[in-house]
Amino acid sequence: MSQTRQVEPARRDAAASQRIAPELRRVLDAASIQACHAALADAAQPLCAEFGFSLLTAAEIAPAPQGPAIVWQYDGSLHKSDSHLRAWLARASCNLGRFLAFGDDAAGLVMAGALEADAPMVTLIADCTQLPLPLESAMRDLAEFSARRLYQLRRESETVRRRQRLDMDGARDAALLRASADLIWEAGSDGILHVTHIFQDRRDLARLFEGRVLGDITVGTRDLQRAAQTGQVLRSLPVTVAGAEEPLFLTACPSSGASAPFPLRGTIAAAPVQVQERLAIDTTTLETILASRHREERLRRETETMMLGLRILLGDAPFREKLEQLVKRLASAIDSDEIRLVQFRPGEAPRLVLPEKLAVKEAALAEIATLAGARPITLMPESDQDNARIRDALNMRNGDIALIALPAPAERYYLLCRARRSLNSDDHGLAERVSLLLQQAILLQADQKQILHSAKLSALGQMSTGIAHELRQPLNAISIAAQNIDLMVGLGKAGPEFLQEKTERILAQIDRACKVMDRMRRFGRKTVGDHKPASPAAIARSARSLMDPVIIASGIAVDIEIPDELEVSADELEVEQVLVNLIQNASDAMAGRPGGKIRIWSRDDPDDPGVIRLEVEDNGPGFPPEVLKHALDAFFTTKPEGKGTGLGLSIAHAILREHGGRLLVGNSEAGGGLITLVLRRPEAAFPSLASRSAMAATP
Ligand code: ADP
């Protein structure tokens, strides 16, 4: 059966992102060039080893006029200076994507990060000439993905550098203007001075200087060159120029953008008596301006980080994805390239949440809470003993560590960031502010869990009449059996066989009643959102038993057609809550219609092998178009007061989203309601923002 119209609330490129291998994901998620190199090396080496070969080299290459240059190289047996390697690279970079033999017993390829001629390239060479096809294709993917990520990262850092340069230039111009100069000049790589601004109407001076060779008008040419190279500001150099009738002084500072020998700009001023004093004041001004520019830049970066963080916080992504993205923001704000997120839950041993699947010394995790104490942030310098212990336990490299506590009502998280440089008080403040966003995400998640739980309790409340009915049956049976015993004992006819039969009946009925109570108790439990391999068939059966009272009372048949061996990654109780709600909705929709049927079945997803679809289909009237439009909105209901809360489908949607899946609402071809739960298979990776955007760029 195929569905006709389906609303897809949060479209995600799950299909694409699920296919991506974890080692490629690490490359794509790398937050810095160094991290990308490390991820490339970490992936390439075991990849070759898996096929019984060794990695001779993995390297990032930059196109250069004299042939491709190695800018980073994995520590393999080939060396940068090897002329054979350089010649091979020149050839392979003209044959992008093709495996070429390297000598007699090795082969490799070069991939480029983009079409641009100056895009970075990545090469991988293994000690084998006949590479097995799967290895070839994996090496090609790895080289391509890392070249792409390096291209993005290099472009990002170039943009930041350019912006900083422009800001610096702006600051200098402002300072020079305040120097009450007569002229502002700049000199290009030819050393020829051009006047860019004229003040105090000194056009006469401008005419004298325009087009002059800088070296001809000052004595300190060498000083100028040095200033250009070192970034130093030169003040009050005396200037001599034919035709000048007054003493003139020149200031110069490097102007980024042009290239040596004279990438300079500066002022020329007719020197009044107090010129020295004036220039001294202006130097202070210049420095103040530069310092305030620096502060401004920091604040701007911080605001940008906070805005981005807010956008992530308020976005539609699952909690886990938000957490991952916010942690990455925080890490990059304080220049950290290694993070660990550890979760503490009451009654459970602390566990590492991020990064996934990293081996750590679990027994040592408990100490983190003690080290953090009640402080929001603890800085642990590299020289600290605690730092060394924690790094060892959490498998981190050397460096200062910021330990950030993120408390929430039911659980606590601790974030540990290893910094590339020593952390200062600015980092401390920034980390504290960004961590507020992280904490907010955790609190929102706790609120969402609370809403989920309230909805569950309300569903239990709605079921209470049915539960009472279901309990009444075994209680009646027990009561009848007891009365029979009483009667027969009174008549003196209660033989051992009779008594045994009645006792067994009573025990069976007690067992039945207990099962009803257990199901309710289990359903009423708070969930923690732990996703584990689970059987959708078992979950569906359990939801059906919970809804037995409703189903029996309304004469509906519920068929479950899901293979027992099928598994999905799920929090059983949460998915059960969704199914209970869908059965309730379907039975409400079919109320008063005879022959009501609900079919719960599973099928593969045609677009994505990483997910399965659970379909809940009924033969009721289906969703009218105007209901369909709002079905997922919170508090939207067409049911009378006291019956509908309007939260069922919107909560189901939130639950599925937290599972890395989605909920589709629509009608079947036959016209009844058809709701699809898209769930990940246990082995499929959780879709992440980073991988989605990366894959969006992949053809
Ligand atoms: P509630 O059940 O409390 O009204 P839901 O969010 O679960 O809230 O459902 C929203 C609305 O969607 C319902 O009021 C109903 O009009 C419609 N609906 C839900 N399930 C079905 C279904 N199986 N068939 C037809 N309409 C449905």
Short mmCIF file of all heavy atoms in Angstrom, two decimals, residues 581-582 585-586 588-589 618 621-624 627 631 633 636-639 643-650 673 675, ligand 1:
data_model
loop_
_atom_site.label_atom_id
_atom_site.label_comp_id
_atom_site.label_asym_id
_atom_site.label_seq_id
_atom_site.Cartn_x
_atom_site.Cartn_y
_atom_site.Cartn_z
N ASN A 581 -0.40 6.24 21.45
CA ASN A 581 -1.14 7.42 21.03
C ASN A 581 -1.77 7.25 19.65
O ASN A 581 -2.91 7.66 19.43
CB ASN A 581 -0.16 8.60 21.02
CG ASN A 581 -0.93 9.88 20.99
OD1 ASN A 581 -1.27 10.34 19.93
ND2 ASN A 581 -1.27 10.39 22.16
N LEU A 582 -1.01 6.63 18.75
CA LEU A 582 -1.55 6.45 17.39
C LEU A 582 -2.73 5.49 17.40
O LEU A 582 -3.71 5.68 16.67
CB LEU A 582 -0.45 5.96 16.45
CG LEU A 582 0.72 6.93 16.25
CD1 LEU A 582 1.73 6.37 15.25
CD2 LEU A 582 0.23 8.29 15.77
N ASN A 585 -5.66 7.44 18.73
CA ASN A 585 -6.16 8.36 17.70
C ASN A 585 -6.97 7.61 16.65
O ASN A 585 -8.05 8.05 16.26
CB ASN A 585 -4.99 9.04 16.98
CG ASN A 585 -4.54 10.29 17.72
OD1 ASN A 585 -5.18 10.70 18.68
ND2 ASN A 585 -3.45 10.88 17.28
N ALA A 586 -6.41 6.45 16.19
CA ALA A 586 -7.10 5.71 15.14
C ALA A 586 -8.44 5.22 15.67
O ALA A 586 -9.46 5.29 14.96
CB ALA A 586 -6.23 4.55 14.68
N ASP A 588 -10.23 6.55 18.02
CA ASP A 588 -11.14 7.71 18.10
C ASP A 588 -11.72 8.03 16.73
O ASP A 588 -12.90 8.32 16.58
CB ASP A 588 -10.39 8.96 18.61
CG ASP A 588 -10.06 8.86 20.09
OD1 ASP A 588 -10.65 7.98 20.77
OD2 ASP A 588 -9.21 9.65 20.57
N ALA A 589 -10.82 7.99 15.70
CA ALA A 589 -11.27 8.35 14.36
C ALA A 589 -12.30 7.35 13.83
O ALA A 589 -13.16 7.69 13.03
CB ALA A 589 -10.07 8.42 13.41
N ASP A 618 -5.02 2.98 9.41
CA ASP A 618 -6.36 2.58 9.85
C ASP A 618 -7.34 2.72 8.70
O ASP A 618 -7.01 3.28 7.65
CB ASP A 618 -6.79 3.43 11.06
CG ASP A 618 -6.92 4.90 10.75
OD1 ASP A 618 -7.75 5.26 9.89
OD2 ASP A 618 -6.19 5.71 11.37
N PRO A 621 -11.83 7.52 8.58
CA PRO A 621 -12.10 8.54 7.55
C PRO A 621 -10.84 9.28 7.08
O PRO A 621 -10.90 10.03 6.11
CB PRO A 621 -13.03 9.51 8.28
CG PRO A 621 -12.67 9.37 9.72
CD PRO A 621 -12.25 7.95 9.92
N GLY A 622 -9.72 9.09 7.77
CA GLY A 622 -8.49 9.78 7.38
C GLY A 622 -8.48 11.23 7.85
O GLY A 622 -9.43 11.70 8.48
N PHE A 623 -7.39 11.93 7.54
CA PHE A 623 -7.26 13.34 7.94
C PHE A 623 -7.86 14.25 6.86
O PHE A 623 -7.41 14.19 5.72
CB PHE A 623 -5.78 13.73 8.07
CG PHE A 623 -5.05 13.09 9.21
CD1 PHE A 623 -4.58 11.79 9.11
CD2 PHE A 623 -4.80 13.80 10.38
CE1 PHE A 623 -3.90 11.20 10.15
CE2 PHE A 623 -4.11 13.22 11.42
CZ PHE A 623 -3.66 11.92 11.31
N PRO A 624 -8.83 15.07 7.21
CA PRO A 624 -9.28 16.06 6.23
C PRO A 624 -8.11 17.03 5.96
O PRO A 624 -7.27 17.23 6.84
CB PRO A 624 -10.42 16.79 6.93
CG PRO A 624 -10.77 15.96 8.13
CD PRO A 624 -9.56 15.16 8.48
N VAL A 627 -7.15 19.58 8.62
CA VAL A 627 -6.61 18.97 9.85
C VAL A 627 -5.16 18.55 9.59
O VAL A 627 -4.27 18.76 10.42
CB VAL A 627 -7.47 17.76 10.27
CG1 VAL A 627 -6.83 17.04 11.45
CG2 VAL A 627 -8.88 18.21 10.63
N ALA A 631 -1.95 19.05 11.90
CA ALA A 631 -1.96 17.88 12.77
C ALA A 631 -0.77 17.84 13.73
O ALA A 631 -0.88 17.36 14.85
CB ALA A 631 -2.02 16.61 11.93
N ASP A 633 0.86 20.48 14.92
CA ASP A 633 0.96 21.64 15.80
C ASP A 633 0.55 21.24 17.22
O ASP A 633 -0.42 20.50 17.40
CB ASP A 633 0.01 22.76 15.34
CG ASP A 633 0.41 23.29 13.97
OD1 ASP A 633 1.49 22.89 13.49
OD2 ASP A 633 -0.38 24.05 13.39
N PHE A 636 -3.27 21.41 18.81
CA PHE A 636 -4.30 21.36 17.77
C PHE A 636 -5.11 20.07 17.95
O PHE A 636 -4.57 18.97 17.92
CB PHE A 636 -3.68 21.38 16.36
CG PHE A 636 -4.71 21.18 15.29
CD1 PHE A 636 -5.47 22.25 14.83
CD2 PHE A 636 -5.00 19.91 14.78
CE1 PHE A 636 -6.45 22.07 13.87
CE2 PHE A 636 -5.98 19.72 13.83
CZ PHE A 636 -6.71 20.80 13.38
N THR A 637 -6.40 20.22 18.18
CA THR A 637 -7.25 19.04 18.32
C THR A 637 -8.63 19.31 17.73
O THR A 637 -9.08 20.45 17.69
CB THR A 637 -7.38 18.64 19.81
OG1 THR A 637 -8.21 17.48 19.89
CG2 THR A 637 -7.99 19.73 20.68
N THR A 638 -9.27 18.25 17.25
CA THR A 638 -10.64 18.40 16.76
C THR A 638 -11.58 17.67 17.72
O THR A 638 -12.76 17.54 17.47
CB THR A 638 -10.80 17.79 15.36
OG1 THR A 638 -10.43 16.42 15.44
CG2 THR A 638 -9.95 18.50 14.33
N LYS A 639 -10.96 17.19 18.83
CA LYS A 639 -11.77 16.39 19.76
C LYS A 639 -12.42 17.27 20.81
O LYS A 639 -11.89 18.36 21.10
CB LYS A 639 -10.88 15.33 20.42
CG LYS A 639 -10.34 14.34 19.40
CD LYS A 639 -9.41 13.34 20.00
CE LYS A 639 -8.73 12.57 18.88
NZ LYS A 639 -7.62 11.75 19.34
N LYS A 643 -11.31 15.26 26.05
CA LYS A 643 -10.94 14.05 25.29
C LYS A 643 -9.58 14.25 24.62
O LYS A 643 -8.69 13.43 24.75
CB LYS A 643 -12.03 13.78 24.25
CG LYS A 643 -11.85 12.51 23.48
CD LYS A 643 -12.81 11.43 23.97
CE LYS A 643 -12.65 10.11 23.23
NZ LYS A 643 -11.45 9.40 23.62
N GLY A 644 -9.44 15.36 23.91
CA GLY A 644 -8.17 15.57 23.19
C GLY A 644 -7.36 16.68 23.82
O GLY A 644 -7.90 17.66 24.31
N THR A 645 -6.01 16.49 23.80
CA THR A 645 -5.14 17.55 24.30
C THR A 645 -4.48 18.27 23.13
O THR A 645 -3.92 19.35 23.29
CB THR A 645 -4.02 16.96 25.17
OG1 THR A 645 -3.32 16.01 24.37
CG2 THR A 645 -4.56 16.30 26.41
N GLY A 646 -4.47 17.63 21.98
CA GLY A 646 -3.79 18.22 20.82
C GLY A 646 -2.28 18.09 20.92
O GLY A 646 -1.54 18.74 20.20
N LEU A 647 -1.83 17.22 21.85
CA LEU A 647 -0.37 17.09 22.02
C LEU A 647 0.17 15.78 21.46
O LEU A 647 1.37 15.63 21.26
CB LEU A 647 -0.01 17.18 23.50
CG LEU A 647 -0.09 18.57 24.11
CD1 LEU A 647 0.20 18.52 25.58
CD2 LEU A 647 0.91 19.49 23.42
N GLY A 648 -0.75 14.82 21.21
CA GLY A 648 -0.31 13.47 20.85
C GLY A 648 0.66 13.46 19.68
O GLY A 648 1.80 12.98 19.80
N LEU A 649 0.25 14.02 18.55
CA LEU A 649 1.09 13.93 17.36
C LEU A 649 2.32 14.83 17.48
O LEU A 649 3.39 14.48 16.99
CB LEU A 649 0.29 14.29 16.10
CG LEU A 649 -0.76 13.24 15.70
CD1 LEU A 649 -1.56 13.71 14.50
CD2 LEU A 649 -0.10 11.91 15.38
N SER A 650 2.16 15.99 18.13
CA SER A 650 3.34 16.87 18.21
C SER A 650 4.40 16.24 19.13
O SER A 650 5.59 16.35 18.86
CB SER A 650 2.97 18.28 18.62
OG SER A 650 2.79 18.36 20.00
N GLY A 673 -6.31 6.95 7.86
CA GLY A 673 -5.10 7.62 8.35
C GLY A 673 -3.88 6.72 8.15
O GLY A 673 -3.97 5.50 8.29
N ILE A 675 0.14 6.87 9.37
CA ILE A 675 1.22 7.58 10.05
C ILE A 675 2.48 6.74 9.91
O ILE A 675 2.44 5.53 10.14
CB ILE A 675 0.93 7.75 11.55
CG1 ILE A 675 -0.54 8.05 11.81
CG2 ILE A 675 1.84 8.78 12.18
CD1 ILE A 675 -1.00 9.40 11.49
P1 ADP B 1 -5.51 14.78 20.05
O1 ADP B 1 -5.59 13.33 19.75
O2 ADP B 1 -5.39 15.08 21.50
O3 ADP B 1 -6.58 15.59 19.37
P2 ADP B 1 -3.26 14.67 18.31
O4 ADP B 1 -2.12 15.59 18.12
O5 ADP B 1 -2.93 13.26 18.64
O6 ADP B 1 -4.15 15.32 19.43
O7 ADP B 1 -4.16 14.68 17.01
C1 ADP B 1 -4.52 15.90 16.39
C2 ADP B 1 -5.74 15.71 15.51
O8 ADP B 1 -5.39 14.92 14.37
C3 ADP B 1 -6.88 14.97 16.16
O9 ADP B 1 -7.67 15.85 16.93
C4 ADP B 1 -7.62 14.44 14.96
O10 ADP B 1 -8.46 15.41 14.38
C5 ADP B 1 -6.51 14.19 13.94
N1 ADP B 1 -6.14 12.76 13.87
C6 ADP B 1 -5.20 12.14 14.58
N2 ADP B 1 -5.09 10.84 14.21
C7 ADP B 1 -6.00 10.63 13.27
C8 ADP B 1 -6.41 9.48 12.46
N3 ADP B 1 -5.82 8.28 12.62
N4 ADP B 1 -7.40 9.66 11.55
C9 ADP B 1 -7.98 10.85 11.38
N5 ADP B 1 -7.65 11.96 12.09
C10 ADP B 1 -6.69 11.86 13.03
#
